[in-house]
Amino acid sequence: MSEKKHACAICGKKTDKLKTCKSCGRKYCEKCQSPSTNQDFCKDCVSMEGVVSKTR
């Protein structure tokens, strides 16, 4: 069986499951989700100050 894998827009890793960043719209893998939020933001957007609020 051939499963279709998708590439993460941030790290390039091939995976079955990608999320879409609420800020930039890029598709990213679980590894590239920001650990500082429980929301659907990639680590690149959260690392840019002021793009995503880090407060809860």
Side-chain angles (χ1 to χ4, degrees):
M1 285 188 198
S2 175
E3 292 183 27
K4 190 169 186 175
K5 301 253 182 188
H6 303 282
C8 173
I10 297 171
C11 71
K13 178 181 171 185
K14 300 265 185 175
T15 185
D16 294 326
K17 191 174 171 184
L18 295 173
K19 291 187 174 186
T20 302
C21 179
K22 289 180 180 179
S23 180
C24 67
R26 292 187 292 175
K27 304 272 187 193
Y28 63 90
C29 68
E30 189 174 291
K31 178 185 164 199
C32 291
Q33 178 160 356
S34 172
S36 63
T37 69
N38 290 330
Q39 300 174 34
D40 292 337
F41 294 107
C42 70
K43 64 183 182 181
D44 287 353
C45 285
V46 173
S47 70
M48 291 188 288
E49 296 244 349
V51 173
V52 178
S53 174
K54 294 184 184 179
T55 59
R56 294 181 185 182

